[in-house]
Amino acid sequence: MKKYLFLMLLICLLLLSACSNGKTQLLEEFYNDAKIENVDKVIIQDGSTGYSKTITNQEQIGEFLSLINEIEFTPQENQGKREGWRYGITLFDKESKFNLNEIDITYYDSNPDIHTIVDNYYKQLEIVKE
């Protein structure tokens, strides 16, 4: 009986911690928490084709960040395992990087929908050499 109670307590604790591992916040807050202060490179990878585009031009980086910084991320209720992704976004600050695909191992909904914004930007993006 004690083993059963212990197991139930452990399961309850795991469920509580799984439900509270994320909070609603802006994208900019996530990468600031990751110590990304000055983004000097962005890589956007298309999850359906595997192709990626790298942005190093500061004007383009600023334009892209202004489109996504104010997006609000709210943890999804269902944190079950997923496969695949639409776009991978990695922000670089010298040696540090922040990958939007994995934010504290939590799945998020975005408002407004980041996928629409990134899809439109990615499709019209022409890489400008510095």
Side-chain angles (χ1 to χ4, degrees):
M1 184 71 168
K2 287 183 181 180
K3 287 182 183 179
Y4 177 74
L5 287 174
F6 177 74
L7 183 60
M8 288 301 291
L9 179 61
L10 184 61
I11 290 171
C12 287
L13 288 173
L14 287 172
L15 288 173
L16 285 173
S17 67
C19 293
S20 63
N21 64 348
K23 63 179 182 175
T24 298
Q25 58 184 26
L26 300 177
L27 177 61
E28 186 173 26
E29 294 171 318
F30 281 114
Y31 69 79
N32 284 337
D33 289 347
K35 306 295 186 235
I36 303 293
E37 296 174 10
N38 184 31
V39 178
D40 55 15
K41 180 168 77 171
V42 176
I43 297 176
I44 304 172
Q45 185 174 18
D46 183 333
S48 62
T49 65
Y51 293 120
S52 64
K53 295 183 181 180
T54 301
I55 309 168
T56 55
N57 176 280
Q58 285 301 306
E59 188 175 316
Q60 286 181 319
I61 291 171
E63 178 182 289
F64 180 66
L65 292 178
S66 71
L67 292 172
I68 64 171
N69 273 346
E70 298 299 316
I71 293 176
E72 193 173 79
F73 286 80
T74 304
Q76 294 178 350
E77 286 187 32
N78 178 2
Q79 291 294 318
K81 185 173 172 138
R82 319 276 165 87
E83 290 191 27
W85 38 272
R86 289 192 215 172
Y87 285 98
I89 301 170
T90 307
L91 308 177
F92 293 86
D93 178 0
K94 294 184 181 36
E95 298 302 315
S96 302
K97 72 177 187 175
F98 170 76
N99 191 331
L100 187 57
N101 290 346
E102 301 170 13
I103 304 176
D104 299 329
I105 314 169
T106 303
Y107 296 106
Y108 290 87
D109 287 319
S110 58
N111 185 24
D113 182 18
I114 191 168
H115 298 106
T116 304
I117 295 167
V118 174
D119 187 53
N120 290 335
Y121 190 81
Y122 183 85
K123 288 177 179 173
Q124 61 89 30
L125 183 63
E126 292 182 29
I127 304 301
V128 175
K129 303 281 184 194
E130 291 193 27

